[in-house]
Amino acid sequence: VQLVESGGGLVQAGGSLRLSCAASGFRFDDYAIAWYRQAPGKEREGLSCINLSDGTTYYSDSRFSISSDNAKNTVYLQMSSLKAEDTAVYYCAGARAILDGTCQYEYNYWGQGTQVTVSS
């Protein structure tokens, strides 16, 4: 299982950014993918997830939305109205999923992370 994040960078407050998580090494729609972030000195925070087997999604913040492109084996995190406090390293993570109407799993496959910096 391999997950590779991309799309991070420097953005001004109020701007938008779309992160990508390219997945390989497993059957895409047998898994759930989640996005987390971790800022310096803070605990890792779950942001959003999607169960690719049944389409269930979860968001912790209405400014963020998650989507998938099954043809590209890629999950996206669209972030809008970004704030300085959104500055962090963003990670995607994977877990085996079932058709259970949730994406709240214990995620055990992780990407290397992508830095998002929001300037105020």
Side-chain angles (χ1 to χ4, degrees):
V1 174
Q2 186 174 19
L3 301 169
V4 179
E5 303 94 336
S6 61
L10 176 65
V11 62
Q12 288 190 333
S16 299
L17 207 58
R18 189 179 77 162
L19 306 182
S20 299
C21 174
S24 61
F26 59 93
R27 181 178 165 137
F28 194 61
D29 55 7
D30 281 347
Y31 274 69
I33 299 292
W35 284 96
Y36 290 80
R37 70 184 179 189
Q38 188 164 23
K42 295 189 176 181
E43 292 188 354
R44 187 172 63 199
E45 176 186 12
L47 302 173
S48 185
C49 59
I50 181 168
N51 182 333
L52 296 166
S53 67
D54 65 13
T56 300
T57 57
Y58 164 79
Y59 308 93
S60 67
D61 190 318
S62 60
R63 297 178 297 133
F64 300 156
S65 64
I66 195 169
S67 62
S68 66
D69 184 336
N70 286 24
K72 295 182 178 180
N73 280 13
T74 300
V75 172
Y76 303 98
L77 182 70
Q78 179 70 46
M79 305 184 294
S80 60
S81 301
L82 286 165
K83 308 171 185 177
E85 51 263 44
D86 293 318
T87 295
V89 178
Y90 285 69
Y91 299 90
C92 65
R96 282 297 302 267
I98 59 175
L99 293 164
D100 61 356
T102 182
C103 55
Q104 308 280 357
Y105 297 108
E106 182 175 348
Y107 286 83
N108 46 8
Y109 299 103
W110 292 82
Q112 83 289 349
T114 186
Q115 175 71 46
V116 172
T117 303
V118 184
S119 63
S120 57

